[in-house]
């Protein structure tokens, strides 16, 4: 069984670009050449998108291969398939990495134990429930990455045609 997904490198310093390609190639087992374009949201950085196909778990392997580089902002998505839910990984230098399980309609699925833990921390006064839920949904990562998601001049644009 295979799944497919997309790697979005939102911002990488030029010197890091070949290393990103090598890391992705190492996971996928094929040569990878990304189409790099300037990232207007962070002058001096570059952005790229790459559609991939592989076994379930490939998104996790890609995120693990890229997560140690402090100057890199990226997201990796995987579509749900017959044997696995979808996934989304988001990473920023300030926040680290976020992982979400994605259902067949694109919704984030939060495991029951994580919800119970958030409620317990809020009940004990250790955290604000709204802030905990926001974090479980990846809002801090979305807020930080949103300026980088807009396609700059010359960046590829992906048009989606499937209607659910």
């Amino acid at each position: 069984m295979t799944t497919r997904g997309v790697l979005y490198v939102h911002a990488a310093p030029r010197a890091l670009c070949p290393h990103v390609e090598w890391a992705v190639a190492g996971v996928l087992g094929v040569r990878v050449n990304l189409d790099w374009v300037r990232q207007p949201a962070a002058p001096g950085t570059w952005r790229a998108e790459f559609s991939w196909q592989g076994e379930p778990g490939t998104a996790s392997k890609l995120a693990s291969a890229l997560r140690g580089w402090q100057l890199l902002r990226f997201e990796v998505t995987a579509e749900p398939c017959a044997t696995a839910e979808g996934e989304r990984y988001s990473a920023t230098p300030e926040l680290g990495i976020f992982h979400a399980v994605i259902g067949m309609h694109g919704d984030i699925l939060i495991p029951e134990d994580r919800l119970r833990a958030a409620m317990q921390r809020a009940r004990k006064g250790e955290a604000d429930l709204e802030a905990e839920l926001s974090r479980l949904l990846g809002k801090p990562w979305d807020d930080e990455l949103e300026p980088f998601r807009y396609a700059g001049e010359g960046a590829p644009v992906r048009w989606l045609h499937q209607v659910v």
Side-chain angles (χ1 to χ4, degrees):
M1 186 59 58
T2 62
T3 187
R4 53 188 182 175
V6 181
L7 165 65
Y8 302 94
V9 179
H10 293 298
R14 188 66 173 157
L16 197 54
C17 294
H19 298 282
V20 170
E21 291 179 356
W22 297 330
V24 173
V27 170
L28 298 177
V30 296
R31 184 180 171 138
V32 173
N33 290 312
L34 301 179
D35 293 324
W36 296 97
V37 295
R38 293 184 187 277
Q39 172 53 272
T45 65
W46 296 77
R47 60 180 282 140
E49 289 183 21
F50 181 73
S51 295
W52 57 268
Q53 187 169 334
E55 297 177 0
T58 300
S60 175
K61 292 175 184 174
L62 288 168
S64 293
L66 299 175
R67 77 180 287 172
W69 295 326
Q70 282 298 313
L71 301 175
L72 190 63
R73 286 179 171 81
F74 70 89
E75 290 182 277
V76 181
T77 64
E79 295 179 1
C81 65
T83 60
E85 298 284 359
E87 295 182 279
R88 184 180 113 202
Y89 292 87
S90 303
T92 74
E94 293 79 17
L95 298 171
I97 199 156
F98 168 77
H99 172 253
V101 175
I102 307 296
M104 63 185 282
H105 297 293
D107 297 320
I108 291 178
L109 305 177
I110 302 172
E112 179 182 341
D113 62 331
R114 293 182 72 193
L115 287 171
R116 289 183 188 280
M119 290 174 16
Q120 185 175 19
R121 283 191 297 277
R123 193 171 32 255
K124 289 181 178 179
E126 298 171 357
D128 175 68
L129 183 58
E130 185 175 346
E132 287 287 303
L133 294 176
S134 178
R135 189 165 176 77
L136 288 172
L137 291 169
K139 185 173 181 342
W141 286 266
D142 286 339
D143 290 347
E144 189 169 325
L145 290 173
E146 194 60 30
F148 296 91
R149 290 177 177 147
Y150 292 105
E153 186 176 329
V157 176
R158 182 173 318 284
W159 294 99
L160 302 176
H161 299 287
Q162 182 178 4
V163 177
V164 177

mmCIF file of all heavy atoms in Angstrom, residues 49-93:
data_model
loop_
_atom_site.group_PDB
_atom_site.id
_atom_site.type_symbol
_atom_site.label_atom_id
_atom_site.label_comp_id
_atom_site.label_asym_id
_atom_site.label_seq_id
_atom_site.Cartn_x
_atom_site.Cartn_y
_atom_site.Cartn_z
ATOM 1 N N GLU A 49 8.527 23.087 -3.091
ATOM 2 C CA GLU A 49 7.490 22.086 -2.843
ATOM 3 C C GLU A 49 7.883 20.828 -3.586
ATOM 4 O O GLU A 49 8.449 20.894 -4.674
ATOM 5 C CB GLU A 49 6.134 22.553 -3.387
ATOM 6 C CG GLU A 49 5.506 23.666 -2.626
ATOM 7 C CD GLU A 49 4.132 24.028 -3.175
ATOM 8 O OE1 GLU A 49 3.515 23.178 -3.868
ATOM 9 O OE2 GLU A 49 3.682 25.148 -2.916
ATOM 10 N N PHE A 50 7.551 19.687 -2.987
ATOM 11 C CA PHE A 50 7.888 18.414 -3.616
ATOM 12 C C PHE A 50 6.793 17.404 -3.321
ATOM 13 O O PHE A 50 6.515 17.103 -2.154
ATOM 14 C CB PHE A 50 9.242 17.909 -3.093
ATOM 15 C CG PHE A 50 9.681 16.618 -3.705
ATOM 16 C CD1 PHE A 50 10.136 16.577 -5.014
ATOM 17 C CD2 PHE A 50 9.616 15.438 -2.984
ATOM 18 C CE1 PHE A 50 10.543 15.384 -5.589
ATOM 19 C CE2 PHE A 50 10.029 14.239 -3.549
ATOM 20 C CZ PHE A 50 10.489 14.213 -4.852
ATOM 21 N N SER A 51 6.139 16.896 -4.357
ATOM 22 C CA SER A 51 5.147 15.834 -4.191
ATOM 23 C C SER A 51 5.865 14.494 -4.168
ATOM 24 O O SER A 51 6.742 14.253 -4.997
ATOM 25 C CB SER A 51 4.146 15.858 -5.352
ATOM 26 O OG SER A 51 3.406 17.048 -5.320
ATOM 27 N N TRP A 52 5.498 13.653 -3.232
ATOM 28 C CA TRP A 52 6.161 12.357 -3.086
ATOM 29 C C TRP A 52 5.110 11.255 -2.994
ATOM 30 O O TRP A 52 3.947 11.504 -2.708
ATOM 31 C CB TRP A 52 7.070 12.354 -1.857
ATOM 32 C CG TRP A 52 6.374 12.684 -0.570
ATOM 33 C CD1 TRP A 52 6.242 13.914 -0.002
ATOM 34 C CD2 TRP A 52 5.671 11.779 0.287
ATOM 35 N NE1 TRP A 52 5.510 13.827 1.155
ATOM 36 C CE2 TRP A 52 5.151 12.526 1.360
ATOM 37 C CE3 TRP A 52 5.431 10.405 0.252
ATOM 38 C CZ2 TRP A 52 4.414 11.951 2.376
ATOM 39 C CZ3 TRP A 52 4.684 9.820 1.278
ATOM 40 C CH2 TRP A 52 4.191 10.603 2.324
ATOM 41 N N GLN A 53 5.580 10.041 -3.208
ATOM 42 C CA GLN A 53 4.744 8.855 -3.049
ATOM 43 C C GLN A 53 5.595 7.808 -2.346
ATOM 44 O O GLN A 53 6.773 7.636 -2.657
ATOM 45 C CB GLN A 53 4.294 8.343 -4.412
ATOM 46 C CG GLN A 53 3.297 7.218 -4.314
ATOM 47 C CD GLN A 53 2.668 6.897 -5.664
ATOM 48 O OE1 GLN A 53 2.585 7.749 -6.532
ATOM 49 N NE2 GLN A 53 2.230 5.663 -5.820
ATOM 50 N N GLY A 54 5.000 7.107 -1.365
ATOM 51 C CA GLY A 54 5.742 6.100 -0.631
ATOM 52 C C GLY A 54 4.846 5.316 0.299
ATOM 53 O O GLY A 54 3.630 5.465 0.284
ATOM 54 N N GLU A 55 5.461 4.508 1.102
ATOM 55 C CA GLU A 55 4.724 3.697 2.073
ATOM 56 C C GLU A 55 4.194 4.588 3.195
ATOM 57 O O GLU A 55 4.755 5.643 3.473
ATOM 58 C CB GLU A 55 5.658 2.650 2.678
ATOM 59 C CG GLU A 55 6.194 1.653 1.696
ATOM 60 C CD GLU A 55 7.179 0.679 2.340
ATOM 61 O OE1 GLU A 55 7.431 0.791 3.563
ATOM 62 O OE2 GLU A 55 7.682 -0.177 1.611
ATOM 63 N N PRO A 56 3.101 4.159 3.847
ATOM 64 C CA PRO A 56 2.674 4.887 5.044
ATOM 65 C C PRO A 56 3.845 4.989 6.023
ATOM 66 O O PRO A 56 4.611 4.046 6.185
ATOM 67 C CB PRO A 56 1.544 4.023 5.603
ATOM 68 C CG PRO A 56 1.000 3.307 4.396
ATOM 69 C CD PRO A 56 2.217 3.041 3.530
ATOM 70 N N GLY A 57 4.000 6.132 6.631
ATOM 71 C CA GLY A 57 5.135 6.377 7.518
ATOM 72 C C GLY A 57 6.230 7.200 6.867
ATOM 73 O O GLY A 57 7.156 7.652 7.541
ATOM 74 N N THR A 58 6.137 7.408 5.552
ATOM 75 C CA THR A 58 7.153 8.192 4.851
ATOM 76 C C THR A 58 7.180 9.630 5.341
ATOM 77 O O THR A 58 8.246 10.226 5.480
ATOM 78 C CB THR A 58 6.934 8.138 3.325
ATOM 79 O OG1 THR A 58 7.028 6.767 2.903
ATOM 80 C CG2 THR A 58 7.946 8.958 2.578
ATOM 81 N N ALA A 59 6.021 10.211 5.630
ATOM 82 C CA ALA A 59 5.981 11.594 6.130
ATOM 83 C C ALA A 59 6.768 11.708 7.429
ATOM 84 O O ALA A 59 7.527 12.664 7.630
ATOM 85 C CB ALA A 59 4.539 12.051 6.328
ATOM 86 N N SER A 60 6.611 10.728 8.302
ATOM 87 C CA SER A 60 7.349 10.720 9.560
ATOM 88 C C SER A 60 8.852 10.647 9.331
ATOM 89 O O SER A 60 9.634 11.350 9.976
ATOM 90 C CB SER A 60 6.893 9.530 10.406
ATOM 91 O OG SER A 60 7.665 9.420 11.571
ATOM 92 N N LYS A 61 9.257 9.812 8.382
ATOM 93 C CA LYS A 61 10.678 9.687 8.070
ATOM 94 C C LYS A 61 11.238 10.977 7.485
ATOM 95 O O LYS A 61 12.358 11.378 7.807
ATOM 96 C CB LYS A 61 10.909 8.518 7.112
ATOM 97 C CG LYS A 61 10.644 7.168 7.744
ATOM 98 C CD LYS A 61 10.760 6.048 6.736
ATOM 99 C CE LYS A 61 10.381 4.717 7.371
ATOM 100 N NZ LYS A 61 10.352 3.632 6.377
ATOM 101 N N LEU A 62 10.465 11.638 6.628
ATOM 102 C CA LEU A 62 10.910 12.911 6.061
ATOM 103 C C LEU A 62 11.045 13.973 7.154
ATOM 104 O O LEU A 62 12.048 14.694 7.210
ATOM 105 C CB LEU A 62 9.937 13.385 4.978
ATOM 106 C CG LEU A 62 9.964 12.614 3.666
ATOM 107 C CD1 LEU A 62 8.765 12.987 2.796
ATOM 108 C CD2 LEU A 62 11.271 12.862 2.928
ATOM 109 N N ALA A 63 10.042 14.063 8.020
ATOM 110 C CA ALA A 63 10.097 15.043 9.100
ATOM 111 C C ALA A 63 11.280 14.772 10.022
ATOM 112 O O ALA A 63 11.985 15.698 10.437
ATOM 113 C CB ALA A 63 8.790 15.036 9.891
ATOM 114 N N SER A 64 11.548 13.515 10.322
ATOM 115 C CA SER A 64 12.686 13.162 11.179
ATOM 116 C C SER A 64 14.015 13.523 10.524
ATOM 117 O O SER A 64 14.934 13.975 11.183
ATOM 118 C CB SER A 64 12.667 11.667 11.499
ATOM 119 O OG SER A 64 11.562 11.357 12.307
ATOM 120 N N ALA A 65 14.099 13.325 9.210
ATOM 121 C CA ALA A 65 15.338 13.633 8.498
ATOM 122 C C ALA A 65 15.626 15.133 8.467
ATOM 123 O O ALA A 65 16.785 15.540 8.396
ATOM 124 C CB ALA A 65 15.272 13.083 7.073
ATOM 125 N N LEU A 66 14.575 15.955 8.547
ATOM 126 C CA LEU A 66 14.747 17.412 8.436
ATOM 127 C C LEU A 66 14.683 18.147 9.759
ATOM 128 O O LEU A 66 15.061 19.317 9.826
ATOM 129 C CB LEU A 66 13.662 17.979 7.505
ATOM 130 C CG LEU A 66 13.652 17.470 6.068
ATOM 131 C CD1 LEU A 66 12.454 18.027 5.325
ATOM 132 C CD2 LEU A 66 14.944 17.823 5.368
ATOM 133 N N ARG A 67 14.248 17.509 10.804
ATOM 134 C CA ARG A 67 13.926 18.221 12.042
ATOM 135 C C ARG A 67 15.103 18.817 12.792
ATOM 136 O O ARG A 67 14.929 19.722 13.580
ATOM 137 C CB ARG A 67 13.122 17.345 12.973
ATOM 138 C CG ARG A 67 13.934 16.289 13.705
ATOM 139 C CD ARG A 67 13.111 15.453 14.613
ATOM 140 N NE ARG A 67 12.735 16.211 15.781
ATOM 141 C CZ ARG A 67 11.897 15.810 16.695
ATOM 142 N NH1 ARG A 67 11.314 14.650 16.593
ATOM 143 N NH2 ARG A 67 11.620 16.548 17.733
ATOM 144 N N GLY A 68 16.295 18.400 12.586
ATOM 145 C CA GLY A 68 17.419 18.893 13.377
ATOM 146 C C GLY A 68 18.026 20.198 12.909
ATOM 147 O O GLY A 68 18.876 20.749 13.588
ATOM 148 N N TRP A 69 17.587 20.719 11.785
ATOM 149 C CA TRP A 69 18.192 21.933 11.244
ATOM 150 C C TRP A 69 17.454 23.163 11.738
ATOM 151 O O TRP A 69 16.317 23.415 11.376
ATOM 152 C CB TRP A 69 18.221 21.885 9.719
ATOM 153 C CG TRP A 69 19.111 20.783 9.222
ATOM 154 C CD1 TRP A 69 20.263 20.345 9.798
ATOM 155 C CD2 TRP A 69 18.914 19.975 8.081
ATOM 156 N NE1 TRP A 69 20.794 19.315 9.069
ATOM 157 C CE2 TRP A 69 19.989 19.074 7.999
ATOM 158 C CE3 TRP A 69 17.929 19.933 7.100
ATOM 159 C CZ2 TRP A 69 20.117 18.143 6.990
ATOM 160 C CZ3 TRP A 69 18.053 19.002 6.089
ATOM 161 C CH2 TRP A 69 19.134 18.123 6.042
ATOM 162 N N GLN A 70 18.120 23.948 12.551
ATOM 163 C CA GLN A 70 17.509 25.076 13.239
ATOM 164 C C GLN A 70 16.995 26.186 12.329
ATOM 165 O O GLN A 70 16.102 26.906 12.705
ATOM 166 C CB GLN A 70 18.495 25.668 14.254
ATOM 167 C CG GLN A 70 18.591 24.856 15.512
ATOM 168 C CD GLN A 70 17.248 24.793 16.235
ATOM 169 O OE1 GLN A 70 16.565 25.781 16.422
ATOM 170 N NE2 GLN A 70 16.850 23.593 16.626
ATOM 171 N N LEU A 71 17.545 26.345 11.151
ATOM 172 C CA LEU A 71 17.152 27.457 10.295
ATOM 173 C C LEU A 71 16.096 27.075 9.260
ATOM 174 O O LEU A 71 15.796 27.846 8.364
ATOM 175 C CB LEU A 71 18.388 28.023 9.583
ATOM 176 C CG LEU A 71 19.479 28.537 10.518
ATOM 177 C CD1 LEU A 71 20.699 28.964 9.729
ATOM 178 C CD2 LEU A 71 18.964 29.683 11.379
ATOM 179 N N LEU A 72 15.503 25.914 9.412
ATOM 180 C CA LEU A 72 14.573 25.379 8.425
ATOM 181 C C LEU A 72 13.127 25.474 8.909
ATOM 182 O O LEU A 72 12.829 25.139 10.055
ATOM 183 C CB LEU A 72 14.937 23.911 8.164
ATOM 184 C CG LEU A 72 14.263 23.201 7.014
ATOM 185 C CD1 LEU A 72 14.617 23.851 5.679
ATOM 186 C CD2 LEU A 72 14.694 21.736 7.000
ATOM 187 N N ARG A 73 12.256 25.959 8.028
ATOM 188 C CA ARG A 73 10.812 25.943 8.276
ATOM 189 C C ARG A 73 10.197 25.033 7.223
ATOM 190 O O ARG A 73 10.404 25.246 6.035
ATOM 191 C CB ARG A 73 10.234 27.345 8.139
ATOM 192 C CG ARG A 73 10.565 28.257 9.268
ATOM 193 C CD ARG A 73 9.963 29.653 9.012
ATOM 194 N NE ARG A 73 10.082 30.494 10.170
ATOM 195 C CZ ARG A 73 11.195 31.153 10.494
ATOM 196 N NH1 ARG A 73 12.254 31.074 9.739
ATOM 197 N NH2 ARG A 73 11.235 31.896 11.587
ATOM 198 N N PHE A 74 9.437 24.025 7.660
ATOM 199 C CA PHE A 74 8.868 23.096 6.687
ATOM 200 C C PHE A 74 7.589 22.467 7.206
ATOM 201 O O PHE A 74 7.282 22.522 8.396
ATOM 202 C CB PHE A 74 9.876 21.999 6.323
ATOM 203 C CG PHE A 74 10.151 21.013 7.425
ATOM 204 C CD1 PHE A 74 9.371 19.873 7.560
ATOM 205 C CD2 PHE A 74 11.189 21.210 8.321
ATOM 206 C CE1 PHE A 74 9.619 18.953 8.573
ATOM 207 C CE2 PHE A 74 11.445 20.301 9.332
ATOM 208 C CZ PHE A 74 10.662 19.175 9.461
ATOM 209 N N GLU A 75 6.851 21.865 6.255
ATOM 210 C CA GLU A 75 5.699 21.038 6.564
ATOM 211 C C GLU A 75 5.756 19.806 5.674
ATOM 212 O O GLU A 75 6.199 19.887 4.530
ATOM 213 C CB GLU A 75 4.387 21.783 6.294
ATOM 214 C CG GLU A 75 4.140 22.902 7.272
ATOM 215 C CD GLU A 75 2.833 23.601 7.026
ATOM 216 O OE1 GLU A 75 2.797 24.495 6.153
ATOM 217 O OE2 GLU A 75 1.833 23.251 7.697
ATOM 218 N N VAL A 76 5.314 18.685 6.205
ATOM 219 C CA VAL A 76 5.198 17.453 5.435
ATOM 220 C C VAL A 76 3.789 16.937 5.662
ATOM 221 O O VAL A 76 3.329 16.853 6.805
ATOM 222 C CB VAL A 76 6.214 16.375 5.894
ATOM 223 C CG1 VAL A 76 6.067 15.124 5.031
ATOM 224 C CG2 VAL A 76 7.629 16.890 5.864
ATOM 225 N N THR A 77 3.110 16.614 4.571
ATOM 226 C CA THR A 77 1.765 16.045 4.680
ATOM 227 C C THR A 77 1.744 14.669 4.028
ATOM 228 O O THR A 77 2.535 14.389 3.127
ATOM 229 C CB THR A 77 0.716 16.932 3.985
ATOM 230 O OG1 THR A 77 0.992 16.965 2.591
ATOM 231 C CG2 THR A 77 0.709 18.329 4.559
ATOM 232 N N ALA A 78 0.854 13.834 4.497
ATOM 233 C CA ALA A 78 0.595 12.525 3.881
ATOM 234 C C ALA A 78 -0.909 12.332 3.848
ATOM 235 O O ALA A 78 -1.602 12.594 4.836
ATOM 236 C CB ALA A 78 1.249 11.406 4.670
ATOM 237 N N GLU A 79 -1.406 11.871 2.720
ATOM 238 C CA GLU A 79 -2.837 11.612 2.594
ATOM 239 C C GLU A 79 -3.200 10.314 3.303
ATOM 240 O O GLU A 79 -2.387 9.395 3.370
ATOM 241 C CB GLU A 79 -3.213 11.495 1.119
ATOM 242 C CG GLU A 79 -3.037 12.778 0.341
ATOM 243 C CD GLU A 79 -3.391 12.622 -1.120
ATOM 244 O OE1 GLU A 79 -3.798 11.505 -1.535
ATOM 245 O OE2 GLU A 79 -3.260 13.616 -1.849
ATOM 246 N N PRO A 80 -4.434 10.224 3.796
ATOM 247 C CA PRO A 80 -4.877 8.943 4.352
ATOM 248 C C PRO A 80 -4.929 7.894 3.244
ATOM 249 O O PRO A 80 -5.114 8.218 2.074
ATOM 250 C CB PRO A 80 -6.288 9.236 4.860
ATOM 251 C CG PRO A 80 -6.479 10.701 4.797
ATOM 252 C CD PRO A 80 -5.449 11.258 3.876
ATOM 253 N N CYS A 81 -4.727 6.645 3.616
ATOM 254 C CA CYS A 81 -4.856 5.542 2.655
ATOM 255 C C CYS A 81 -5.600 4.408 3.346
ATOM 256 O O CYS A 81 -6.022 4.547 4.497
ATOM 257 C CB CYS A 81 -3.481 5.108 2.136
ATOM 258 S SG CYS A 81 -2.406 4.393 3.381
ATOM 259 N N ALA A 82 -5.729 3.285 2.689
ATOM 260 C CA ALA A 82 -6.518 2.173 3.233
ATOM 261 C C ALA A 82 -5.949 1.632 4.545
ATOM 262 O O ALA A 82 -6.690 1.079 5.361
ATOM 263 C CB ALA A 82 -6.613 1.053 2.202
ATOM 264 N N THR A 83 -4.654 1.788 4.765
ATOM 265 C CA THR A 83 -4.035 1.197 5.955
ATOM 266 C C THR A 83 -3.548 2.213 6.978
ATOM 267 O O THR A 83 -3.015 1.829 8.012
ATOM 268 C CB THR A 83 -2.838 0.316 5.547
ATOM 269 O OG1 THR A 83 -1.876 1.120 4.857
ATOM 270 C CG2 THR A 83 -3.295 -0.834 4.656
ATOM 271 N N ALA A 84 -3.709 3.521 6.695
ATOM 272 C CA ALA A 84 -3.189 4.524 7.637
ATOM 273 C C ALA A 84 -3.946 5.835 7.520
ATOM 274 O O ALA A 84 -4.416 6.196 6.442
ATOM 275 C CB ALA A 84 -1.704 4.760 7.370
ATOM 276 N N GLU A 85 -4.048 6.529 8.639
ATOM 277 C CA GLU A 85 -4.598 7.882 8.629
ATOM 278 C C GLU A 85 -3.580 8.802 7.949
ATOM 279 O O GLU A 85 -2.430 8.445 7.766
ATOM 280 C CB GLU A 85 -4.826 8.376 10.069
ATOM 281 C CG GLU A 85 -5.803 7.558 10.861
ATOM 282 C CD GLU A 85 -7.258 7.807 10.487
ATOM 283 O OE1 GLU A 85 -7.538 8.649 9.610
ATOM 284 O OE2 GLU A 85 -8.118 7.137 11.073
ATOM 285 N N GLY A 86 -4.016 10.001 7.618
ATOM 286 C CA GLY A 86 -3.104 10.998 7.089
ATOM 287 C C GLY A 86 -2.274 11.604 8.210
ATOM 288 O O GLY A 86 -2.547 11.381 9.395
ATOM 289 N N GLU A 87 -1.261 12.366 7.830
ATOM 290 C CA GLU A 87 -0.391 13.005 8.827
ATOM 291 C C GLU A 87 -0.011 14.389 8.352
ATOM 292 O O GLU A 87 0.020 14.660 7.155
ATOM 293 C CB GLU A 87 0.900 12.215 9.005
ATOM 294 C CG GLU A 87 0.737 10.841 9.574
ATOM 295 C CD GLU A 87 2.090 10.179 9.752
ATOM 296 O OE1 GLU A 87 2.621 9.659 8.750
ATOM 297 O OE2 GLU A 87 2.607 10.206 10.877
ATOM 298 N N ARG A 88 0.305 15.232 9.304
ATOM 299 C CA ARG A 88 0.885 16.535 9.010
ATOM 300 C C ARG A 88 1.954 16.822 10.046
ATOM 301 O O ARG A 88 1.729 16.669 11.246
ATOM 302 C CB ARG A 88 -0.164 17.633 9.053
ATOM 303 C CG ARG A 88 0.427 18.993 8.657
ATOM 304 C CD ARG A 88 -0.623 20.076 8.715
ATOM 305 N NE ARG A 88 -0.253 20.971 9.803
ATOM 306 C CZ ARG A 88 -1.063 21.771 10.433
ATOM 307 N NH1 ARG A 88 -2.328 21.800 10.131
ATOM 308 N NH2 ARG A 88 -0.639 22.554 11.379
ATOM 309 N N TYR A 89 3.114 17.214 9.572
ATOM 310 C CA TYR A 89 4.201 17.654 10.434
ATOM 311 C C TYR A 89 4.506 19.099 10.063
ATOM 312 O O TYR A 89 4.606 19.427 8.877
ATOM 313 C CB TYR A 89 5.461 16.810 10.211
ATOM 314 C CG TYR A 89 5.301 15.387 10.673
ATOM 315 C CD1 TYR A 89 4.772 14.422 9.838
ATOM 316 C CD2 TYR A 89 5.685 15.012 11.958
ATOM 317 C CE1 TYR A 89 4.613 13.113 10.250
ATOM 318 C CE2 TYR A 89 5.528 13.700 12.387
ATOM 319 C CZ TYR A 89 4.989 12.762 11.523
ATOM 320 O OH TYR A 89 4.830 11.464 11.944
ATOM 321 N N SER A 90 4.646 19.955 11.049
ATOM 322 C CA SER A 90 5.032 21.349 10.843
ATOM 323 C C SER A 90 6.221 21.619 11.742
ATOM 324 O O SER A 90 6.247 21.177 12.892
ATOM 325 C CB SER A 90 3.893 22.293 11.222
ATOM 326 O OG SER A 90 2.724 22.006 10.498
ATOM 327 N N ALA A 91 7.202 22.367 11.215
ATOM 328 C CA ALA A 91 8.396 22.649 12.018
ATOM 329 C C ALA A 91 8.849 24.081 11.810
ATOM 330 O O ALA A 91 8.852 24.588 10.682
ATOM 331 C CB ALA A 91 9.523 21.694 11.645
ATOM 332 N N THR A 92 9.199 24.717 12.916
ATOM 333 C CA THR A 92 9.782 26.052 12.896
ATOM 334 C C THR A 92 10.957 26.071 13.865
ATOM 335 O O THR A 92 10.993 25.286 14.820
ATOM 336 C CB THR A 92 8.775 27.145 13.319
ATOM 337 O OG1 THR A 92 8.573 27.073 14.727
ATOM 338 C CG2 THR A 92 7.447 27.017 12.594
ATOM 339 N N PRO A 93 11.913 26.973 13.635
ATOM 340 C CA PRO A 93 13.047 27.048 14.554
ATOM 341 C C PRO A 93 12.632 27.383 15.988
ATOM 342 O O PRO A 93 13.209 26.867 16.943
ATOM 343 C CB PRO A 93 13.914 28.172 13.971
ATOM 344 C CG PRO A 93 13.542 28.233 12.533
ATOM 345 C CD PRO A 93 12.082 27.853 12.475
#
